[in-house]
Amino acid sequence: DWTMDAEWSETEISFFRTDPVDLTGASVAAITMQPAYPNPTQTRSVTFQFTASTITYLRIALVDVQLRKQSYYSFLTVAGLNAFHIPFEEAKFPANKNYRLYYSFDAAGSPMYFKGHGDITIQ
């Protein structure tokens, strides 16, 4: 968890099929991941944190154990430390269950150049 995945299944790739996004200004960055915290969480949110060597684009998909996409986010990052607050709405994410956060970093001409996942428990 919380590293780079070498391969994704077609189902995992499909979480990121959305309307086209503008990748202007996004470059391929060296990414250093940190595990989302707190995990497990009782506050219904986690902080997703990483360091990027340059401005890049990030997409996040939250899925349940049946691999049903529940939420999706996308951001243009900054160079340096990035920390995003990710909420888990109670209606979509019941307590006492595990969920998976998939992340994909993208740049013009280099989609999904760094991708991975991590598991989160909501108590």
Side-chain angles (χ1 to χ4, degrees):
D1 287 4
W2 312 110
T3 61
M4 183 175 172
D5 292 342
E7 305 254 347
W8 272 356
S9 70
E10 183 58 34
T11 299
E12 292 167 317
I13 292 169
S14 74
F15 300 146
F16 296 91
R17 289 203 180 99
T18 63
D19 292 333
V21 294
D22 182 4
L23 296 175
T24 302
S27 301
V28 173
I31 304 294
T32 303
M33 296 297 304
Q34 296 180 7
Y37 64 91
N39 189 13
T41 180
Q42 296 176 341
T43 62
R44 306 208 60 78
S45 67
V46 297
T47 298
F48 179 75
Q49 189 169 297
F50 60 92
T51 302
S53 63
T54 188
I55 295 170
T56 194
Y57 201 82
L58 166 66
R59 297 182 293 159
I60 294 172
L62 297 170
V63 304
D64 63 18
V65 294
Q66 286 84 30
L67 296 180
R68 294 180 297 220
K69 184 166 68 171
Q70 301 298 313
S71 294
Y72 179 84
Y73 304 96
S74 60
F75 309 95
L76 190 62
T77 73
V78 298
L81 181 63
N82 289 261
F84 295 105
H85 174 79
I86 308 294
F88 287 85
E89 303 90 14
E90 191 169 351
K92 291 181 183 179
F93 301 95
N96 301 311
K97 295 191 183 277
N98 295 319
Y99 299 93
R100 183 161 282 180
L101 186 153
Y102 284 96
Y103 48 88
S104 171
F105 290 88
D106 304 275
S110 298
M112 296 184 167
Y113 70 84
F114 187 103
K115 60 189 182 296
H117 73 277
D119 294 328
I120 297 168
T121 301
I122 298 179
Q123 294 182 329

